[in-house]
Amino acid sequence: MNNYRIPIEKMMDPLLAQGCRVFSVAGSGGKTTLIRKAALHYAKTVHVGVAASTKMCLPDSQWQYKGLIPPVVLPDSPVDAGEAVPPLCFYAEHILPVGKIWGIGDKMMSRALERSGVLLVEADGSNRKPLKGWREDEPVIVPETDVTIGILPMHCLGQRIDESMVHRLEAFTAITGLNIGDKMNMDAYVRLITHSNGLFGHGRGRRILVLNRVNNDELRTAARVIAEQSEHCIDRWIAGCLEDE
């Protein structure tokens, strides 16, 4: 499995060394996992902020750092100049009754940037489905973004498309040309990545493609073909698994 593990630090360290601080993560099939792994890794050395330009689940026990679940900082949260900043915090405009944070406005963005060495923004939603199509206003990439990371899971390759697999099926069909019952293919992945209203349609800064859930040589070969055909839209790509599988 180690042959396929995606090393977050290998992907992000060079970007941090070049002064990148704000990472917006879009796509499906691994956004929250990537953000959580990056947050827990970099919290060892710098303050890390986590936010969502759309919606994101509240931190739970999976986010524990040094035995504590990260606090959520809201616009009305008190500011104490003498108080030590926790190594990992969530920043949000609202907490929704469904247990999610929602949005980050100018004031909260300024506060997060003032306190954070790294800010990780979940910039997309896929309703827990592995694939999606995008509305014209998605993904929601904040202006401060230095790096846009786009994630797609490769385990869907060869599977038949249905409503249980795809969020915003109509938009997905418009981008890929696939319909219900068709098999997901490499051309469809390339279209999702390169389309003007696709994964990087609103991307800012560096564009990094992550092809997730690549756990065998066949998928790794397919991922390489997809990435090479998308090179005109991305700065770098990486394929492998964000989680052990």
Side-chain angles (χ1 to χ4, degrees):
M1 178 61 224
N2 288 337
N3 292 334
Y4 300 104
R5 185 183 70 84
I6 293 177
I8 299 292
E9 61 280 8
K10 181 179 178 181
M11 179 175 65
M12 292 182 56
D13 279 0
L15 296 164
L16 291 167
Q18 295 167 19
C20 298
R21 295 177 59 201
V22 182
F23 296 78
S24 287
V25 185
S28 56
K31 296 187 302 295
T32 303
T33 298
L34 186 151
I35 290 172
R36 184 174 64 247
K37 285 181 173 291
L40 294 174
H41 174 76
Y42 288 108
K44 300 171 186 175
T45 54
V46 298
H47 175 81
V48 176
V50 176
S53 58
T54 55
K55 298 174 185 176
M56 182 181 186
C57 289
L58 286 164
D60 57 17
S61 59
Q62 288 185 300
W63 288 87
Q64 282 189 68
Y65 184 76
K66 294 186 177 181
L68 299 174
I69 295 175
V72 179
V73 180
L74 298 168
D76 58 357
S77 297
V79 179
D80 186 345
E83 183 181 358
V85 179
L88 177 56
C89 287
F90 277 54
Y91 295 88
E93 292 296 317
H94 311 280
I95 296 179
L96 302 176
V98 293
K100 293 185 177 183
I101 62 171
W102 178 31
I104 179 165
D106 292 343
K107 178 180 178 181
M108 289 306 297
M109 176 61 75
S110 296
R111 189 168 178 182
L113 288 174
E114 182 180 342
R115 298 171 60 163
S116 307
V118 176
L119 181 61
L120 303 160
V121 183
E122 186 157 306
D124 209 353
S126 58
N127 200 27
R128 300 186 180 274
K129 296 180 181 180
L131 296 171
K132 74 167 291 185
W134 290 269
R135 297 183 315 211
E136 291 185 358
D137 60 346
E138 296 176 318
V140 184
I141 308 298
V142 296
E144 295 81 2
T145 298
D146 299 307
V147 180
T148 301
I149 299 175
I151 302 180
L152 291 174
M154 286 293 297
H155 72 289
C156 298
L157 185 66
Q159 293 188 16
R160 293 192 183 277
I161 298 300
D162 61 30
E163 292 181 340
S164 68
M165 181 184 292
V166 180
H167 182 50
R168 305 203 196 289
L169 182 59
E170 184 176 347
F172 175 88
T173 294
I175 292 170
T176 64
L178 297 181
N179 294 300
I180 291 178
D182 292 340
K183 288 185 177 181
M184 186 65 185
N185 56 48
M186 289 193 286
D187 286 344
Y189 274 102
V190 173
R191 292 190 195 106
L192 289 175
I193 296 162
T194 62
H195 195 278
S196 59
N197 197 45
L199 182 62
F200 292 102
H202 295 286
R204 292 176 180 265
R206 313 286 179 82
R207 290 162 169 81
I208 310 299
L209 172 65
V210 177
L211 294 172
N212 189 25
R213 299 193 66 173
V214 172
N215 57 8
N216 60 55
D217 289 344
E218 183 179 356
L219 284 178
R220 177 145 47 187
T221 298
R224 177 175 293 278
V225 172
I226 291 166
E228 289 176 348
Q229 292 183 11
S230 306
E231 282 185 338
H232 61 287
C233 287
I234 59 176
D235 295 292
R236 187 181 172 195
W237 65 275
I238 190 167
C241 287
L242 291 166
E243 294 188 298
D244 294 337
E245 55 180 51

